[in-house]
Amino acid sequence: MRSRTLLLTLLAVCLLPLGSAHAASSKFTIRGAGFGHGVGMSQYGAYGFAQNGSGYRDILAHYYTDTAIGNLDPNQRVRVLLQSTGTASFTGATRAGRRRLAARKTYYVRRRGARVQLLSPKRRSLGTYAAPLHVTGRGGALILRGRAANGRTSGAYRGAIDFSPGVFSGVDAVNSLPLDSYVQGVVPDESPPSWPLEALKAQAVAARTYAVATMKPAATFDLYPDTRSQVYGGVAAEVASTNQAVAATRGEVVTYNGQPVVTYFFSTSGGRTEDVENTPLGNEPRPWLKSVDDPYDDTSPRHRWGPIRMSLKQAGRRLGSYVKGSFRGIQVVRRGRSPRIVEADVIGTRGSTRVTGGQLRARFGLFDTWAFFTSITTGDAPPPEPTPADPGAPTGGAEPFGSASLLGGGHSAGAVAGRVLPVLPGARVTLQRRDNGRWLTVGSTRLRRGGRYSAAVASAGVYRVRYHDETGPAVRVR
């Protein structure tokens, strides 16, 4: 008799429509790994390799597949766009073009059509020059006043500063300096100077190679001083340990088939780097930018991150136009080898939108595209109407949701119903009940089509479901 009553309840549960649930609430959870684009050298991974005795050449060979170390002139010039402004100003210069200047005084440069005009400390014209106006000092560094694109205000820079009309308006200030002087200003802004010397050497070679491989001879500058290229802080950034790493690797670059190649690097891999073609950095494979295991990356505070939690409504607002109708969840379609997200579907009540991992990262402000999304909606529902059950009829695969004693002999007080995404083959949800301050598991069941679930409960109380490592919102059944 008890088994027949249990069967009756289970059949009623299977017929309970999701739409009958009320007082529903939702929880959207994001967990992930890594920090950055995931291609090339993981800086924390390099740090871990160095701590475990690896030299910089071995570190570079690990992250840049089938490469070698080559040499080039460390004094070749590199051009870095520091500032685009209406009127630029500088000190520390002894010459602008052929004109002598006083190093202690501040001079100004402004645009005059396709030329630039040099102004005295009192802003009187000292001449108009064809671009670029080449400004140099006798030694030490030039100071570019105002805020630069690297975030530094009135920073000091080695080499020269070239002033040219901006693309649309104003004046561009471009730092022109020897390659290794430039790298001295990059390494301490890209890696902590307290790290092991071998890790800093690997960073120096990677930064030098990236600069050389991305030069733009036909443009007015080669590099940005921020993450659009690599962070360059000038003289103020330099530290003895990182200058030592630059000097110890003087002129060395990473080569593939004898040529310097683009050496992407980033903070944290999460345990594995990614093939470049699976990321926003490029659509074509590059044989030296392949996914590799990263065994020592776990020293990073971003090796694993999350959980980030919000409601489905809040998540839908962040996703904006990607959502059709009301947001339900995200189903990943394709992952890379790491496994960073390559493509995913943003699922709404009126359809889905195919997006990239990079688009999801941008909308949610994530550290990386190595991410997992879980949405759980939970609501209470009226108890199902009793339905006559044929003891010989098949159950359709229904399973007990809790013990027979919990179900109270089939007298249902109500039901818990909702939906979870993503839906995985054979996935189940576990039902839990709040009891004296603890969550007790009272049963589990497989998900139905579209991630739906529903379960009759025998008594009033507070319930929730658990899906893999995530728990849904609590709901009270009265």
Side-chain angles (χ1 to χ4, degrees):
M1 182 66 182
R2 195 181 189 93
S3 62
R4 289 191 61 185
T5 306
L6 177 60
L7 176 60
L8 181 149
T9 303
L10 291 172
L11 289 175
V13 167
C14 292
L15 296 172
L16 181 68
L18 181 63
S20 67
H22 61 281
S25 57
S26 63
K27 185 184 290 185
F28 182 72
T29 305
I30 309 172
R31 294 180 187 268
F35 186 13
H37 50 64
V39 179
M41 183 177 73
S42 157
Q43 291 160 310
Y44 268 99
Y47 167 76
F49 270 113
Q51 279 192 316
N52 283 272
S54 295
Y56 76 98
R57 287 175 174 257
D58 291 332
I59 294 171
L60 294 166
H62 175 78
Y63 289 108
Y64 305 113
T65 306
D66 295 333
T67 59
I69 299 296
N71 289 274
L72 46 72
D73 181 5
N75 293 312
Q76 64 177 290
R77 309 294 287 191
V78 121
R79 300 166 301 161
V80 189
L81 176 64
L82 294 177
Q83 190 181 75
S84 295
T85 186
T87 299
S89 60
F90 60 90
T91 58
T94 57
R95 188 175 292 275
R98 295 183 178 180
R99 188 181 188 96
R100 293 182 181 276
L101 304 178
R104 295 182 179 180
K105 294 184 178 181
T106 299
Y107 295 87
Y108 302 85
V109 179
R110 66 186 179 190
R111 181 175 185 155
R112 278 293 178 263
R115 299 158 71 88
V116 292
Q117 185 179 43
L118 178 67
L119 304 176
S120 71
K122 295 184 178 180
R123 300 198 181 226
R124 294 175 180 172
S125 177
L126 297 177
T128 301
Y129 301 83
L133 174 60
H134 192 66
V135 174
T136 58
R138 185 168 294 170
L142 298 171
I143 296 177
L144 180 65
R145 300 179 67 85
R147 187 175 178 84
N150 56 16
R152 296 183 180 270
T153 299
S154 297
Y157 301 94
R158 299 185 184 278
I161 297 179
D162 293 334
F163 295 95
S164 303
V167 176
F168 300 107
S169 64
V171 175
D172 286 349
V174 175
N175 187 195
S176 173
L177 73 167
L179 176 61
D180 272 26
S181 295
Y182 162 75
V183 177
Q184 287 180 183
V186 171
V187 177
D189 269 5
E190 288 287 0
S191 292
S194 61
W195 278 9
L197 183 59
E198 294 304 306
L200 298 178
K201 288 180 183 179
Q203 181 66 74
V205 176
R208 185 184 295 115
T209 311
Y210 182 88
V212 170
T214 58
M215 283 185 177
K216 305 173 183 64
T220 57
F221 66 93
D222 300 307
L223 300 157
Y224 293 99
D226 54 27
T227 54
R228 288 173 290 181
S229 297
Q230 48 191 0
V231 182
Y232 164 64
V235 175
E238 294 182 17
V239 178
S241 61
T242 53
N243 281 357
Q244 179 185 355
V246 176
T249 61
R250 179 178 170 83
E252 292 185 348
V253 291
V254 176
T255 63
Y256 183 85
N257 287 340
Q259 297 297 317
V261 290
V262 177
T263 45
Y264 291 119
F265 54 85
F266 64 103
S267 171
T268 305
S269 75
R272 189 169 188 87
T273 68
E274 187 54 74
D275 293 343
V276 67
E277 65 269 25
N278 291 332
T279 74
L281 293 179
N283 295 322
E284 297 182 8
R286 294 287 183 263
W288 66 93
L289 295 175
K290 305 301 292 181
S291 175
V292 297
D293 184 48
D294 202 8
Y296 302 119
D297 178 84
D298 56 0
T299 58
S300 170
R302 302 297 185 200
H303 181 71
R304 293 288 181 271
W305 47 263
I308 302 169
R309 293 191 174 99
M310 64 193 80
S311 68
L312 287 180
K313 187 174 182 180
Q314 291 169 327
R317 282 199 295 265
R318 294 198 187 189
L319 290 167
S321 60
Y322 297 156
V323 180
K324 295 178 180 178
S326 297
F327 178 59
R328 282 181 174 171
I330 293 173
Q331 186 87 36
V332 174
V333 176
R334 183 162 68 94
R335 292 185 181 272
R337 295 189 61 196
S338 56
R340 286 166 172 82
I341 296 172
V342 180
E343 292 180 310
D345 285 338
V346 176
I347 300 173
T349 55
R350 297 180 182 174
S352 62
T353 303
R354 183 65 53 89
V355 296
T356 66
Q359 289 171 318
L360 291 175
R361 181 187 179 191
R363 290 295 175 98
F364 286 115
L366 305 179
F367 295 115
D368 205 310
T369 59
W370 183 329
F372 296 87
F373 306 93
T374 305
S375 60
I376 305 178
T377 302
T378 306
D380 66 313
E385 293 294 329
T387 303
D390 179 358
T395 65
E399 297 177 69
F401 215 114
S403 66
S405 59
L406 174 68
L407 290 171
H411 300 290
S412 176
V416 176
R419 181 195 303 270
V420 300
L421 285 174
V423 181
L424 303 176
R428 306 175 68 88
V429 290
T430 300
L431 181 68
Q432 296 181 323
R433 185 178 189 277
R434 190 76 170 170
D435 185 20
N436 294 323
R438 297 184 304 159
W439 287 102
L440 301 179
T441 297
V442 295
S444 68
T445 191
R446 289 188 179 90
L447 296 177
R448 304 209 304 272
R449 184 175 180 179
R452 294 180 177 87
Y453 67 88
S454 59
V457 295
S459 60
V462 178
Y463 293 86
R464 72 180 185 184
V465 296
R466 187 174 187 88
Y467 184 54
H468 298 295
D469 293 331
E470 306 299 339
T471 56
V475 62
R476 181 175 293 278
V477 177
R478 301 181 186 279

